[in-house]
């Protein structure tokens, strides 16, 4: 910490005495110098100043460091950096600091501060020939382009109130603006949709008109072949592809061997797409001079490059162009690459609202991958914030974190990225390739009044779709709206933090395919882009890396009243541009368009320096009087999209052609007439029209010395590393490898996706049949308040349980994930017991799911028969036989191949959703309450306030007891967890499916509850109806008989789909348990996977037999049969909560989450989930009636039938628990060793915690058997067998 500063601050905070020096200013003549300095320090510090607060003192402002004459950065006492502040504030801070230090006036003149020198330097007082722009031109000519940023002080009460007000207003107004844009994009898509439908109805293919239709089909075929080849490589029983239609693929993979493959999961993971083409990436953290931390990605070939250490990649000191790049301790570039394999560095910068992933989305036709495989050392630089906003000192909620625009990106971000690349590669220069906004920040940074010195570090600047002049699109209505509102109103609508952060929230939560389609529609609507020249099969992937976090202040620079949208240029005002255009028209009035085009073509001759074409030396100087660039500017190469309406690249070319920039040397220029703004990086022929030319330009502009050090000049045909070169071995992220790291061999085909996993879980949820089956509990315990308040309150807590479970699923995507998580997360010695309780609870809910659903379905079918024939009364044996028949049919379907099951559940879930919506609409529309002399809907005061006394307990307890309906209905969202071994991209798709199921199901279920609550006529009559089914009785109360029958039919169909989904999920759990020898000798049968269908057929039929035996409880009457529902509800949430509780209360921050996680909200959400279950488990155990009202005769009749099923099984379980608890080497898994990813074993032996290595971890304790069984690959059973 700066000791001198602490002394100054202490002196400044003391009470002034009469002899203190007085400051006489126009603002305040009564403050002492010390008081004024202390006040100014506090105004610019990170926190409000308090000498008793060490953190506040250490983060106090010390001085202003000027990066450029217009960009001061505040340095704090602990060496930290705070972003740009207004010039007057920075200058005053330095002046007061000098004054408090009691420097004499002569000393101050001798040691004049950098800040004052640069302020004078920028004020137009220099008359030298090489003076920068603001010295040669009056300040007012360019100042409007970069207005002063607002000043946000430390977080005081007033500032926090101001920030909160902006957040609230922008949350409403900006989201409304976004909603308007989304709706506009959807409405404008309707005519296109009808046009395509018309073409298809007339037997014409609308895609056949696309310019690259045949090429698209060819590439799609290649991708399918690659996916098949990948699957064969992942299966040990098949040889590596190398013949037939894969011969070309094999030859390519000898050079760059992919380490990822299969179906594209559509994820925002740059490394994943690099590994699909045989490359890999490493991420560097780069700190800018104003304290922001930006991401820099390095693409490399793992066969020839040694990856750097994580500690080196994460260094955070803001070093920009140090004297010696290699002074710090790290491996030199010559040691990273094999001898003779150095590569010339190329840095790529992305466009507005994008990240550098946009350069990596077209497989081998991506610009980044193409340059990497052409022999260049490719680096991808993200601008500040990107996907993850980070700053050395500021937090996300601090408005100073977002107080920047394009100027800071060019002046701070770009030099930091260039400096880091040069320091890592040990080259004196690099090639810079930018697109759209990336070109803007570079053109700004290279200007002679900004940071022209970085031009000395760039061998060539390749500008793709250069964004210097605005195009005609800026006049669209929604852009014009943002331009005409005042800066204050702009901040009220869009805030002072991130620009419409809801976009990033949607990015995280929506499925990749849906988000990609929506992203394309919205951006197409905004910017008039089309995908005609893109590979439509990859279109959804293109939008996985956009949008990103950008500041509202930055968007105001682009679209607000003062800057780009108004001036139509980044470095000249509208008046200057109009004057130059008028001058050009006067001098060129004799030239027609053809001659002008010919001049353009002949003008851009490679290697020719730009001079004016007017011939007169005076005219040349006159045209260059307002030049933006000095002699330090690097060569330019430009590729302009001829059909680009967002920016006007032709106008920039005319500026160079007509001698406006005498110092600029254009080495390449090309207008691609048919290209739009994004075609320049995403078009299918981009490599031919842009990529190859970029590669050539980079090589020809590199110095001779750089060419000698680099391999890029050679036509690379093989990069296989020699034997003595170390090869970096990365930890695989493939689904099957992740499963193997958890200790299991992949058994199933991964043919489930996010949608089909959601379909199975939504089918298991079965809102309509679940509601019908549990109406007796939801309405019968507490009446309509139990359906309204009860569902709403319980749903909030259930969502917490679902999100916490999804986080576990992402970290451990295996079929037995719940008990597996309990085992590996539990403290030493407690894993067996935790897994035993979790495992059996989970199995109970799974095995009772299908029988209970099918029992309810059979009851509805027989109730429908009773409605048709009032004399018919269903008998228990009829209910049992019909239930058993339904289960047999569902078992046959569940024994089919995985793809068939996925398709069946997809159709079933779609029908479930449609039927639910139909019922929600039909009941209030067709109700006959008015014919009964009743109002159409029950008053809200009755619905929400009158609690029906359906139990012998107090009303509050009755309301809690009604939660059983919600809990049982919402207990199916864990299905994606159990299907994760059959799902592609399981650690992302499966948790998303869990949360999607609980969220959508909870919302739609509440709507259904409201409909019934507002229309039910007589609760008691519905519950005690002779139909034996309250749901059917309710429908007869409020609907005509024909409508009732129709709704019952829809509900019955949905119930069948639900029961079948339960059967599938249960069979996977039983298989997982059998794989771990849970069922003893019976496990040898139930763990087998059918070699024809590749599904656990034996486990399916085992569950069916158990379920039919359980359904014998039907003969015990409704009370005994109701136990199926209570057992399922209680067991489900016990199983769900145990691993969550261990993760929250025992593991804490040591838990290593998967790619889908809750971040800092994980602990509070998990705590709420555990508290809710702890409250509800005893509540759910309560009977609805008192002891004297129980009729036990039916229960005792069922006792004889179910004794062996229930009592004997429970006895064995208790005995197993005793053995499990007394002998830590014994568990439900029947193992004394886990072959797991040991980074999940958070509370195990610290000595065993090796990074990223799969280990067999011995579980040693007193009483261990001492056997040392090795992990075997049992090929017959397909299991990683563990001792």
């Amino acid at each position: 910490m700066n000791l001198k500063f602490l002394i100054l601050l202490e002196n400044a905070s003391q009470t002034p005495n009469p002899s203190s020096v007085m400051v006489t200013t126009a603002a305040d003549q009564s403050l002492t110098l010390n008081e004024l300095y202390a006040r100014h320090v506090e105004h610019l510090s990170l926190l409000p100043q308090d000498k008793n607060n060490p953190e506040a003192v250490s983060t106090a402002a010390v001085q202003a460091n000027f990066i450029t004459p217009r960009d001061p950065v505040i340095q704090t006492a602990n060496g930290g950096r705070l972003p740009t502040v207004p010039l007057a504030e920075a200058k005053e801070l330095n002046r007061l600091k000098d004054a408090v230090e009691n420097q004499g006036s002569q000393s101050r003149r001798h040691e004049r501060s950098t800040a004052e020198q640069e302020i004078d330097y920028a004020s137009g007082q220099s008359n030298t020939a090489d003076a920068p722009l603001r010295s040669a031109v009056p300040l007012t000519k360019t100042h409007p382009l970069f207005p002063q940023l607002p000043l946000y002080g430390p977080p005081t009460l007033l500032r926090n109130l101001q920030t909160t007000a902006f957040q609230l207003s922008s949350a409403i107004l900006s989201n409304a603006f976004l909603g308007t844009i989304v709706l506009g994009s959807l409405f404008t898509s309707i005519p296109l949709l009808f046009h395509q439908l018309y073409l298809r109805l007339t037997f014409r293919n609308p895609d056949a008109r696309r310019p690259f239709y045949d090429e698209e089909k060819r590439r799609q075929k290649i991708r399918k072949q690659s996916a098949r080849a990948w699957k064969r490589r992942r299966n040990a029983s098949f040889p590596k592809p190398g013949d037939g239609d894969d011969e070309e693929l094999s030859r390519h993979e000898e050079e760059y061997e992919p380490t990822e493959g299969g179906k594209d999961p559509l994820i925002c993971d740059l490394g994943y797409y690099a590994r699909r083409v045989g490359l890999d990436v490493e991420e560097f953290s780069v700190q800018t001079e104003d304290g922001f931390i930006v991401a820099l990605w390095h693409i490399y070939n793992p066969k020839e490059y040694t990856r750097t250490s994580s500690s080196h990649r994460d260094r955070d000191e803001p070093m920009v162009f140090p004297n010696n790049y290699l002074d710090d301790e790290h491996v030199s570039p010559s040691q990273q690459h094999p001898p003779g394999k150095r590569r010339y560095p190329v840095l790529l910068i992305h466009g507005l609202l994008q990240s550098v992933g946009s350069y990596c989305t077209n497989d081998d036709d991506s610009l980044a991958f193409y340059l990497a495989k052409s022999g260049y050392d490719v680096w991808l630089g993200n601008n500040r914030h990107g996907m993850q906003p980070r700053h050395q000192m500021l937090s996300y909620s601090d408005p100073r974190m977002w107080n920047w625009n394009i100027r800071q990106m060019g002046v701070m971000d770009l030099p930091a990225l260039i400096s880091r690349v040069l320091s890592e590669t040990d080259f004196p220069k690099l090639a810079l390739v930018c697109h759209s906004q990336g070109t803007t920040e570079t053109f700004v940074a290279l200007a002679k009044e900004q940071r022209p010195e970085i031009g000395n570090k760039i061998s060539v600047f390749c500008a793709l779709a250069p964004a210097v002049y605005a195009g005609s699109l800026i006049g669209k209505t929604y852009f014009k709206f943002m331009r005409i509102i005042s800066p204050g109103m702009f901040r009220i609508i869009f805030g002072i933090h991130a620009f419409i952060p809801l976009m990033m929230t949607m990015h995280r939560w929506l499925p990749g395919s849906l988000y990609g389609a929506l992203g394309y529609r919205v951006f197409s609507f905004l910017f008039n882009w089309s995908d005609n020249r893109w590979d439509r099969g990859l279109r959804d992937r293109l939008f996985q890396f956009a949008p990103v976090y950008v500041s509202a202040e930055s968007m105001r620079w682009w679209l607000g009243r003062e800057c780009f949208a108004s001036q139509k240029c980044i470095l000249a005002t509208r008046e200057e541009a109009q004057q130059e255009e008028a001058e050009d028209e006067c001098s060129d009035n004799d030239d027609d368009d053809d001659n002008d085009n010919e001049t353009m073509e002949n003008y851009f001759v490679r290697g020719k320096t730009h001079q004016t074409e007017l011939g007169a030396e005076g005219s040349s100087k006159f045209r260059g009087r307002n030049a933006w660039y000095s002699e330090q500017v690097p060569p330019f190469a430009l590729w302009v999209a001829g059909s680009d309406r967002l920016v006007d690249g032709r106008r920039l070319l005319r500026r160079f052609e007509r001698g406006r920039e005498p110092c600029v040397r254009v080495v390449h220029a090309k207008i691609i007439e048919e290209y739009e703004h994004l075609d320049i990086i995403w078009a299918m022929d981009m490599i031919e029209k842009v990529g190859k030319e970029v590669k050539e330009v980079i090589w020809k502009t590199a110095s001779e010395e750089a060419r000698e050090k680099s391999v890029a000049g050679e036509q690379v045909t093989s990069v296989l590393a020699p034997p003595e070169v170390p090869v970096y071995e990365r930890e695989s992220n493939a689904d099957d490898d992740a499963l193997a790291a958890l200790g299991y061999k992949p058994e199933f085909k991964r043919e489930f996706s996010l949608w089909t996993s959601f379909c199975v879980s939504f089918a298991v949820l079965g809102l309509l049949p679940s509601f019908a089956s549990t109406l007796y509990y939801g309405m019968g315990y507490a009446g309509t308040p139990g359906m309204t308040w009860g569902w709403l309150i319980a749903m909030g807590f259930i969502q917490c349980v679902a999100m916490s479970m999804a986080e576990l699923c992402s970290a451990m995507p295996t079929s037995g994930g719940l008990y597996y998580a309990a085992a590996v997360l539990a403290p030493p010695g407690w894993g067996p017991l935790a897994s035993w309780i979790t495992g059996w609870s989970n199995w109970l809910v799974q095995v009772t799911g299908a029988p209970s659903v099918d029992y309810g379905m059979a009851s509805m079918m027989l109730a429908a028969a009773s409605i048709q024939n009032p004399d018919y009364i269903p008998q228990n044996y009829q209910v049992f036989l019909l239930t058993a028949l339904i289960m047999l049919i569902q078992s046959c379907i569940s024994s089919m191949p995985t793809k068939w099951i996925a398709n069946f559940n997809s159709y079933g879930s779609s029908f479930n959703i449609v039927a639910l919506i139909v019922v929600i609409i039909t009941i209030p529309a067709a109700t006959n309450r008015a014919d009964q002399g009743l109002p159409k809907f029950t008053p809200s005061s009755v619905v929400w306030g009158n609690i029906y006394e359906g139990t012998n307990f107090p009303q509050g307890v009755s309301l809690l007891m009604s939660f059983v309906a919600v809990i049982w209905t919402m207990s199916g969202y864990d299905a994606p967890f159990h299907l994760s071994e059959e799902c592609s991209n399981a650690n992302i798709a499966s948790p998303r499916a869990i949360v999607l199921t609980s969220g959508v199901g909870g919302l739609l279920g509440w709507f259904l509850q409201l409909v019934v609550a507002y229309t039910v006529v007589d609760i008691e009559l519905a519950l005690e109806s002779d139909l034996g089914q309250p749901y059917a009785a309710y429908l007869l109360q409020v609907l005509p008989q024909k409508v009732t029958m129709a709704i019952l039919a829809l509900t019955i169909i949905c119930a069948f789909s639900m029961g079948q989904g339960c059967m599938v999920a249960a069979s996977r759990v039983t298989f997982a348990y059998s794989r771990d020898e849970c069922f003893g000798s019976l496990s040898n049968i139930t763990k087998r996977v059918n070699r024809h269908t590749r599904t656990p057929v034996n486990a399916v039929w085992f569950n069916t037999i158990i379920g039919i035996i359980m359904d014998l409880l039907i003969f015990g009457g409704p009370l005994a049969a109701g136990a199926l529902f209570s057992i399922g509800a209680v067991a489900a949430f016990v199983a769900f909560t145990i691993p969550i509780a261990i993760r929250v209360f025992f593991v804490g921050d040591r838990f290593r989450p998967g790619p889908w996680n809750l971040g800092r909200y994980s602990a509070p959400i998990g705590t709420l989930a555990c508290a809710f279950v702890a409250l509800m488990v005893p509540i759910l155990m309560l009977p609805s009636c008192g002891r004297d009202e129980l009729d036990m005769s039916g229960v005792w009749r069922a006792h004889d039938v179910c004794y062996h099923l229930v009592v004997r099984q429970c006895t064995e379980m208790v005995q197993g628990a005793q053995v499990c608890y007394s002998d830590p080497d014994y568990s439900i898994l029947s193992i004394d060793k886990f072959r797991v990813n040991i980074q999940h074993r958070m509370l195990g032996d610290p000595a065993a915690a090796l990074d990223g290595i799969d280990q067999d971890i011995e579980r040693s304790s007193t009483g261990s058997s001492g056997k040392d069984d090795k992990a075997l690959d049992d090929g017959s059973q397909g299991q990683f067998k563990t001792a």
Side-chain angles (χ1 to χ4, degrees), residues 690-703:
V690 179
K692 292 183 177 179
E693 295 176 2
V694 169
K695 180 184 74 170
E696 180 183 356
V697 167
I698 292 174
W699 185 249
K700 292 191 175 181
T701 53
S703 65

Side-chain angles (χ1 to χ4, degrees), residues 770-840:
S770 294
F771 171 79
S773 300
T774 59
L775 183 61
Y776 177 86
Y777 310 103
M779 186 167 64
Y781 285 170
T784 53
M787 305 172 69
T788 53
W789 289 115
W791 185 284
L792 190 62
I793 295 170
M795 190 56 238
F797 289 103
I798 289 172
Q799 191 69 19
C800 294
V801 178
M803 289 190 291
S804 297
M805 181 196 297
E807 188 175 46
L808 291 176
C809 177
S810 181
M812 308 173 195
T814 177
S815 295
L818 290 173
Y819 77 81
Y820 183 92
V824 299
L825 295 178
W830 291 91
L833 180 62
S835 64
W836 182 87
I837 298 174
T838 305
W840 280 114

Side-chain angles (χ1 to χ4, degrees), residues 1132-1277:
F1133 278 80
V1134 168
F1136 295 172
T1137 311
I1138 288 177
I1140 295 173
I1142 296 173
R1143 180 258 178 277
V1144 172
F1145 299 113
F1146 292 93
V1147 178
D1149 295 336
R1150 289 170 292 170
F1151 175 73
R1152 182 182 181 183
W1156 194 101
N1157 60 81
L1158 299 174
R1160 59 181 177 177
Y1161 300 107
S1162 177
I1165 290 176
T1167 302
L1168 288 176
C1170 297
F1172 173 70
V1173 175
L1175 171 67
M1176 290 310 303
V1177 166
I1179 294 292
L1180 296 177
M1181 296 293 188
L1182 297 176
S1184 61
C1185 53
R1187 178 178 180 180
D1188 296 336
E1189 301 176 24
L1190 289 174
D1191 180 10
M1192 300 300 295
S1193 58
V1195 178
W1196 284 114
R1197 286 195 301 270
H1199 167 271
D1200 294 333
V1201 180
C1202 299
Y1203 172 79
H1204 292 284
L1205 169 66
V1206 180
V1207 178
R1208 290 289 302 276
Q1209 183 64 46
C1210 289
T1211 302
E1212 293 176 4
M1213 289 168 61
V1214 172
Q1215 292 173 348
Q1218 293 173 345
V1219 175
C1220 165
Y1221 188 75
S1222 62
D1223 184 0
D1225 288 340
Y1226 176 84
S1227 74
I1228 185 177
L1229 307 176
S1230 300
I1231 60 176
D1232 60 1
K1233 258 189 214 177
F1234 274 114
R1235 177 178 172 84
V1236 301
N1237 184 335
I1238 61 153
Q1239 293 188 11
H1240 287 142
R1241 187 179 168 84
M1242 297 300 172
L1243 298 182
D1245 180 11
L1250 305 177
D1251 290 336
I1253 304 175
D1254 299 333
Q1255 297 285 337
D1256 290 335
I1257 302 177
E1258 294 278 359
R1259 294 196 167 196
S1260 58
S1261 63
T1262 305
S1264 175
S1265 62
K1267 295 181 181 180
D1268 184 18
D1269 296 334
K1270 295 182 179 179
L1272 303 176
D1273 181 2
D1274 187 344
S1276 60
Q1277 301 301 334

